[in-house]
Every structure is written in structure tokens, then in C-alpha cells.
Amino acid sequence: MRTVVAKFGGSSLSEAAQFRKVRAIVEADPNRRYIIPSAPGKRDKNDYKITDLLYKCQTLAQEQRPFGDVFEVIKDRYRSICDELGLSLELESEFATIARTIAAGVPADYAASRGEYLNGIILAAYLNFPFLDPATLIFFDQQGHFDGEKTQSVLNRELAHYHQAVIPGFYGSTPAGQIQTFSRGGSDITGAIVAKGVQADLYENWTDVSGFLMADPRIVRNPKPIREITYRELRELAYMGASVMHEEAIFPVREGKIPINIKNTNDPDDPGTLIVKDNGNIRVPGSITGIAGRKGFTIIAIEKTLMHSELGFGRKLLSVIEDHGISFEHMPSGIDTISLVISDQQLNNKLEKVLVDIDRVCHPDSIEVFHDIALIATVGLGMAYTPGIAAKLFTALAGINVRMIDQGSSEINIIVGLENKDFEEAVRRIYRAFVSPDPDE
Ligand code: ASP
């Protein structure tokens, strides 16, 4: 018997019809033994996420304002799921406890976690699986960091008693017994932790898309799906904005060498995307795995004669941005030039002050600033050690002004910086050059 941990996202459990799909999926494979639900998500784009409503209740309670109306919407959603599924669960006392506790002024984490908690109770009853509260299985330390060691040993020990279980995502508890959540979207992390905890053969992450695509479908028409990708490649693409799953969910499964399969609850026969460790097999020389990118960067270009021989220049420059609490994305350099590529979010209106300080501390000959920069990452293990990749990329970009180039030493990622206005066209050209000359293919 294999062990599959299956996490279902908010859109997969937003209403009774979705619960039916989830049950059919779970019942189709007896290896799907540990099920991690999110809270109910949006049913359509004008709908509310239960988690958002719970945060809202907590904020209102903190401000000593009534939150009964909002809480009523939450109760109605759960009630209608139960009614339509024909479940007679005693949720009213749970609702009363939660409302009372929120009214007493608990921290936001407790309120937010109740979305997963209640959904877990319902899903467990519907699947006829035991319900296990992650407050007793997933732990944070005193500083609020996830406590991997304690969690691993408790999960190992406790889950050995359960052949199957529903374990709500998103939260655990602190040494003081308080509820603490992961960051938003954190049920993905719970799924990964449980998968590692039980040494699962596979971690399935069920969502509303059939995995990753080779490029953003808003830019490239009908991009091809990514059938298989390594953790490393995914990390590079996710950093650049390709997101289906919480970034941090990769780490536990990667350590445990457990493959992740991103699957679509609304199209369960689609194979989705399989995320694996680099086994050397999926390396097709010269091929790329995906393209991702983001707008909204600024380049600060600094020039100083004999910079290359000035001891400590780089350190001084970086200390300036560190003092402003800014981290940088890239730092390409020439002989007497160095550029800092910083996201506008990081820069956050501090640019003027940063420039004054660079001038004071580094005494450069000149500083130039380029606004509205986009970065595009072309990623693939197949790019490493393959001659001609860069030539192909830059031929594709001919006529577009490339302001920055960065290739990591692993050679699985070439990043180019160009003007925001050229972003979409550049992505399409790279796709055509490496994947398919006809974007509809
Ligand atoms: N319900 C939580 C959120 O909306 C966690 C999750 O869905 O993964 O962020």
C-alpha cells in the first residue's frame, strides 16, 4: 500500500458540489489516506473567502464593533454545505464557541484558523474519516517559527494509529497552547509537512488549475502545460511569479524527496504537473521548462573609476541598502560599474534617501536610475551545459533593449531586465523561440 497525502484548496471545497468531487477523488484511490482541507474559498469571483470573513470578524471585535452579520454569512456557508450533503452535524455549538472566543478578543490567528477547522470537521464526516486537530500535531516554537523536529516526531507517532484521517490545513499551536497559522495560503505547507511526517510516496495538491503552464496564459495564447519539473526549476519560476502553490510548501517535501503532483479537482483525469527531484532523466538538452517574469523593478547603476580595485566598495554599497532595510534581487557588475536591481516594493519611496547615502558613503562618479523595469526568467535544467542557449535567447529579443542580464552559476536560469513596456512581447518571443513558433500549437 502506498501513502498519498492529498491537500484540497479553497476552491475545491467552496460548496457542496465541490465536496462531492473531492469525495469521488478520494474514493477513487485508497492510497489517498491523509486529507488536508483548506477553508471554503470563492464560488465565483464576486464571492468571499471564509478566511477573509473570519479575519474581518476578528478586526471588528478588536474595534469593539459588532461582527454578527459577517459571522452569519460564515455560518450560512457551512450550514448550506452540510444541508446539501445531507450531513446532520452539530455545528451550532462550534459556531457559538468560535463567536464567543472571537468576541473575547483573541488574536487573528485563532479566528482565521477556524475556517479550516470547521471545513475539516465537515469533510471528515462526509468521507467517514477520523478528524485530527492540527493543534495537536503541528507545532511552532516560542519565537513563532515552525518547529519541524517536534512536529515530525509527533506526526510520526500519532499518525501511525490512523490508517486514514482528515487534518485541517493552515494552523498548528505554540508551546503556550495558542493557535498559530502559517502565512496566507498555508494549507499547502501543512500538506507538505504531513507528507514528510508520514514519509508519503506522493503529495497531491488539488486546486482549480491543471498544474503549471510554460508561460502566463494572459500573455501567451494556450501555453503548453509543464508535465514534469524539478524542485529547483520550480523555485526559480515561483520566485519570478509563477504561482500555483505556496512557495514554502516545497521545502518539507523536497527534504523528504517526495514528489508533488499538482492536480485539478475540476478535471481529475488531467495528469497535472509532477514536481520531482532532479533525477537526470527529464533533461532534454536545449529545452526550457518555463518562462516567468515580473514587472516593477528599479535599477540603480553606479559608476566609479577604479571601482574594481577599491577594497570594500561592494560592502559599502550594500551596507547602504541594508541600513534602509532593503534587499536586492540582482547585482550585475562591470569593471568600473555596478548595478543594483531592486523591486519597487522593497524600495518603497526610499529611493531619494538611498541615492543620497550611496553618494555620501561610496563617492561614485555617477549614479543613474532606470525605472519601470521588468525581469524575465527563462528556466530549464536542459539549458545547463548546452551551447547556443544564450544566442537563441538574445536573437529572439533582437530589437528590444535589454538593460540587464544575469545567469546563475547553475546555468538553469537566464534572467533579463528590460523595460516594462516590452515585457509581454519579450515573453512571447522567448516562448516562440524555445517552445513553439506557433503560439496556438
Ligand atoms: N485559508 C487560508 C487562506 O485563505 C489558507 C489556505 O487556503 O491555504 O489563506
Side-chain angles (χ1 to χ4, degrees), residues 396-414:
L397 295 177
I400 291 179
N401 186 19
V402 176
R403 289 214 179 270
M404 188 220 59
I405 303 166
D406 198 353
Q407 173 175 308
S409 52
S410 62
E411 285 187 45
I412 71 163
N413 189 0
I414 300 178

Side-chain angles (χ1 to χ4, degrees), residues 7-11 37-41 49-52 55 112-113 115-116 169-171 181-190 246:
K7 179 257 166 180
F8 290 89
S11 57
S38 281
K49 279 179 128 186
I50 291 295
T51 310
D52 292 336
Y55 277 121
S113 73
E116 270 69 11
F170 195 34
Y171 72 95
T181 63
F182 293 106
S183 56
R184 293 302 304 266
S187 297
D188 287 339
I189 306 176
T190 308
H246 196 298

Side-chain angles (χ1 to χ4, degrees), residues 21 25 28 55 61 103 122 129 143 154 202 240 257 259 271 385 423:
K21 292 180 192 170
I25 290 166
Y55 277 121
I122 297 173
F129 277 22
Q143 283 72 44
V154 174
L202 180 66
M240 271 302 184
K257 301 188 175 60
Y385 312 111
F423 176 68

Side-chain angles (χ1 to χ4, degrees), residues 283-333:
R283 209 180 277 241
V284 180
S287 69
I288 67 164
T289 304
I291 307 162
R294 277 194 279 151
K295 291 182 179 175
F297 294 88
T298 295
I299 298 180
I300 304 176
I302 297 135
E303 192 162 346
K304 185 175 187 185
T305 310
L306 297 179
M307 175 194 289
H308 71 286
S309 57
E310 181 178 327
L311 200 63
F313 187 88
R315 180 185 48 75
K316 279 189 255 174
L317 177 62
L318 293 182
S319 70
V320 171
I321 61 163
E322 184 179 352
D323 290 346
H324 283 277
I326 295 170
S327 68
F328 68 95
E329 309 290 325
H330 300 279
M331 191 172 57
S333 63

Side-chain angles (χ1 to χ4, degrees), residues 3 25 36 225 308 357 424 430:
T3 301
I25 290 166
I36 317 296
H308 71 286
D357 285 349
E424 285 83 3
I430 298 171

